[in-house]
Amino acid sequence: MDFIVNLAAGFMNLFTLGGQQFMSWVTGIIPTIVMLLVLMNAIMALAGEKTVARLAKVCTGNPVLRYAVLPFVSAFMLGNPMALSIGKFMPEFYKPCYYASATYHCHTNNGLFPHINASELFIWLGIANGITALGLDTTPLAVRYLLVGLVANFISGWATEFTTRMVEKQQGVTLSCDFKAAK
Amino acid sequence: MSDYRSIRVEKGPGGFGGPLTITPTQQRNKVMYITGGGAEPECLAKIVELTGLTPVNGFKTNCPEEELALVIIDCGGTLRCGIYPKKRIPTINVMPVGKSGPMAQFIKEDIYVSAVTSEQVSPAEGPAPQAAQAEAKSEPKQGAKFTADQKVSETLAKQENKSLVTKLGLAAGKVVNTFYQAARDAIQTCITTLLPFMAFVSMLIGVINGSGFGNAFASILTPLAGNIFGLVALGVICSIPGLSALLGPGAVIAQIIGTLVGAEIGKGNIAPQLALPALFAINCQGACDFIPVGLGLAEAETETIEVGVVSVMYSRFATGWLRVLLAYAASFGLYA
């Protein structure tokens, strides 16, 4: 009899532990994120797409602007996945490269700006929770995540130009690189 | 010209939406599947056989939206599951996912059905309302909502000889409404994506920690995530072309690994300094599953998508390890 009782108690304990975890996340994380989301959603709605579109036209010509500045701003102003739509201002050849950079930007900036990719936040939050558990502040980690991301995402975007050229040869196609032809 | 037949697709166990009736027409005669890095979903063969639709692999190529009668996806609940419903293209998700992700508001029963296997696909009897009609039916509804929303302010803005008070009122109203809508979206995001994920991961963590599995996990994860060599290896493995597309959907796997690594950091088994390279290592495959759709959002042409899918996977593989090393180099002095 004791065995069954212990088994049942152990079983319920699993879910009590899970519940405690859930409660600590809901009270510790949700309120701040909701407040941030409200402000950022409003900024996105008020200033969003037009501003970024204007910026995009200036930014396509230069690799640093194209893979570091533009995807950063797009991710901040439009969030995931709409930031990817800004690739439409690029010539065909550069679209995969912009994609490679912009998708990473939707993660690396997520530590400071959770509105960018709220539905995939746990990539950041999962690890950041460990830092919180140690009683440390997560902000230094978030700032470094963003800064390293800026450099690394630029490299990833730029490197895609080389892989794209490689795949072009493999498949025997040539994509347009003409900046003027692109709208 | 092959002739096309209608099918009826119901939701599977744990699924959402539907039943959908899909009626191909001469113009809408293709079914695109964007699943598992280009693998054919199990229900595809039956759908093709019953309808006579031409299958198109969304990972290899693209096709104009107006030719699509149907899209099959395997989205874990973040992006793809909302994109095609938003465009009002009937969508089948093989995963049991309901209204979820940033585009949850577009996922409705009349355009989306999930947890579908071949068992849920059956021939439709008689001429049924087609996809095109569903489109026509719902669009005025959306349009009407839009005007209902706008009308008061619009009429005010147009009709009256605007006084300063009206102008001020209109401007203030716009700002307040924008913020209110922003708040509604924020709560929606919490309910549709954040809370479910928290609940799911909490349950996992409870079971893992309470059952003693945690120690077993730690013994696997600590050597992998506890030093820089393991992290680079993790990054390389995650970004292997092909595998990267399989690991992608919903970023669910990366998020779970992140949580487990975080738990080990919290217990002191992994140095907090390594949190930074770990953030990069667990996400080297980032968005590899999403390439065709993402390029579609950028209005890329078919051949750009064909090249882009391969190219981005290659570049992820080529730069993944470098990102981890870069993060490692930048992590000195962090939490020291």
Side-chain angles (χ1 to χ4, degrees):
Chain A
M1 193 63 203
D2 275 355
F3 174 72
I4 299 176
V5 170
N6 282 339
L7 200 71
F11 183 71
M12 284 318 292
N13 183 41
L14 300 183
F15 302 101
T16 315
L17 281 177
Q20 282 167 1
Q21 181 73 64
F22 183 62
M23 215 45 225
S24 79
W25 280 346
V26 170
T27 53
I29 294 169
I30 296 272
T32 323
I33 287 182
V34 169
M35 293 305 107
L36 252 174
L37 278 178
V38 172
L39 179 67
M40 292 302 177
N41 282 348
I43 292 177
M44 269 155 57
L46 288 173
E49 213 154 348
K50 274 184 195 158
T51 321
V52 182
R54 227 178 297 144
L55 182 73
K57 283 178 188 148
V58 189
C59 284
T60 51
N62 172 303
V64 177
L65 294 176
R66 193 163 60 222
Y67 304 130
V69 177
L70 181 60
F72 183 93
V73 177
S74 312
F76 183 83
M77 298 295 278
L78 304 176
N80 188 26
M82 287 324 285
L84 309 178
S85 69
I86 295 304
K88 69 182 167 213
F89 296 104
M90 308 272 166
E92 291 295 319
F93 178 84
Y94 296 102
K95 283 179 184 174
C97 315
Y98 174 81
Y99 175 87
S101 175
T103 44
Y104 272 153
H105 271 286
C106 288
H107 283 288
T108 54
N109 304 343
N110 224 10
L112 278 185
F113 309 111
H115 70 284
I116 292 175
N117 198 352
S119 50
E120 293 171 12
L121 188 61
F122 261 82
I123 291 187
W124 152 257
L125 210 52
I127 288 187
N129 274 332
I131 303 294
T132 316
L134 291 174
L136 297 166
D137 182 15
T138 57
T139 319
L141 181 64
V143 172
R144 289 195 196 208
Y145 190 31
L146 184 143
L147 291 177
V148 176
L150 202 58
V151 179
N153 301 345
F154 165 72
I155 295 173
S156 293
W158 203 39
T160 309
E161 288 190 13
F162 296 97
T163 54
T164 305
R165 211 154 274 146
M166 207 168 87
V167 178
E168 268 187 335
K169 269 187 208 138
Q170 262 179 16
Q171 302 194 352
V173 285
T174 316
L175 302 175
S176 150
C177 297
D178 191 356
F179 284 106
K180 279 175 195 155
K183 280 164 252 165
Chain B
M1 288 275 115
S2 55
D3 59 330
Y4 302 113
R5 289 162 303 276
S6 300
I7 49 166
R8 189 180 148 87
V9 183
E10 285 170 53
K11 66 177 177 194
F16 169 87
L20 293 186
T21 305
I22 291 147
T23 308
T25 60
Q26 290 298 350
Q27 200 216 346
R28 288 188 180 271
N29 59 5
K30 297 208 168 65
V31 46
M32 181 154 81
Y33 57 100
I34 310 174
T35 48
E40 288 188 9
E42 186 258 350
C43 57
L44 181 73
K46 188 164 180 195
I47 291 175
V48 169
E49 183 201 320
L50 285 176
T51 55
L53 289 167
T54 317
V56 177
N57 184 347
F59 265 94
K60 294 243 169 66
T61 177
N62 191 23
C63 97
E65 274 158 32
E66 56 277 5
E67 288 177 19
L68 288 174
L70 177 65
V71 174
I72 306 174
I73 54 172
D74 66 343
C75 177
T78 49
L79 298 174
R80 257 175 302 171
C81 56
I83 282 182
Y84 294 101
K86 187 182 176 200
K87 294 175 179 170
R88 301 300 298 171
I89 298 172
T91 303
I92 290 181
N93 194 349
V94 297
M95 302 282 196
V97 169
K99 282 173 174 285
S100 172
M103 298 191 172
Q105 74 260 39
F106 301 106
I107 298 175
K108 299 199 182 106
E109 288 89 338
D110 62 340
I111 201 76
Y112 175 92
V113 59
S114 67
V116 173
T117 63
S118 51
E119 273 173 43
Q120 277 79 39
V121 179
S122 59
E125 288 119 33
Q130 17 175 307
Q133 270 178 357
E135 212 170 311
K137 201 172 64 190
S138 76
E139 253 170 35
K141 209 166 73 187
Q142 275 187 343
K145 199 174 155 201
F146 187 65
T147 46
D149 225 27
Q150 288 283 87
K151 208 142 210 176
V152 177
S153 56
E154 258 185 5
T155 36
L156 257 181
K158 274 181 193 162
Q159 283 177 353
E160 282 177 35
N161 220 345
K162 276 176 280 178
S163 66
L164 187 67
V165 178
T166 319
K167 273 186 197 161
L168 260 178
L170 282 172
K174 192 187 168 212
V175 171
V176 169
N177 268 329
T178 310
F179 271 87
Y180 186 32
Q181 182 57 41
R184 234 176 301 173
D185 291 343
I187 296 294
Q188 197 65 37
T189 310
C190 272
I191 293 175
T192 52
T193 60
L194 276 175
L195 283 174
F197 200 86
M198 283 180 173
F200 154 62
V201 177
S202 298
M203 200 279 287
L204 267 184
I205 288 186
V207 171
I208 288 172
N209 284 345
S211 64
F213 267 125
N215 298 331
F217 266 113
S219 61
I220 301 170
L221 264 181
T222 315
L224 205 56
N227 64 71
I228 183 60
F229 303 106
L231 283 172
V232 171
L234 188 65
V236 171
I237 295 168
C238 286
S239 62
I240 293 172
L243 184 63
S244 53
L246 292 176
L247 287 177
V252 175
I253 294 172
Q255 298 190 77
I256 293 172
I257 296 180
T259 310
L260 293 174
V261 171
E264 292 309 310
I265 293 175
K267 282 187 223 153
N269 291 340
I270 295 175
Q273 185 204 337
L274 287 177
L276 187 62
L279 278 169
F280 284 87
I282 61 170
N283 200 26
C284 280
Q285 78 286 0
C288 272
D289 61 311
F290 193 64
I291 306 168
V293 190
L295 286 175
L297 281 175
E299 294 167 17
E301 281 163 24
T302 308
E303 49 192 26
T304 311
I305 294 180
E306 288 169 10
V307 172
V309 169
V310 188
S311 169
V312 173
M313 282 197 210
Y314 283 180
S315 88
R316 289 286 197 252
F317 187 57
T319 60
W321 59 276
L322 189 65
R323 297 167 63 84
V324 182
L325 284 182
L326 210 67
Y328 182 61
S331 71
F332 286 98
L334 183 67
Y335 302 123

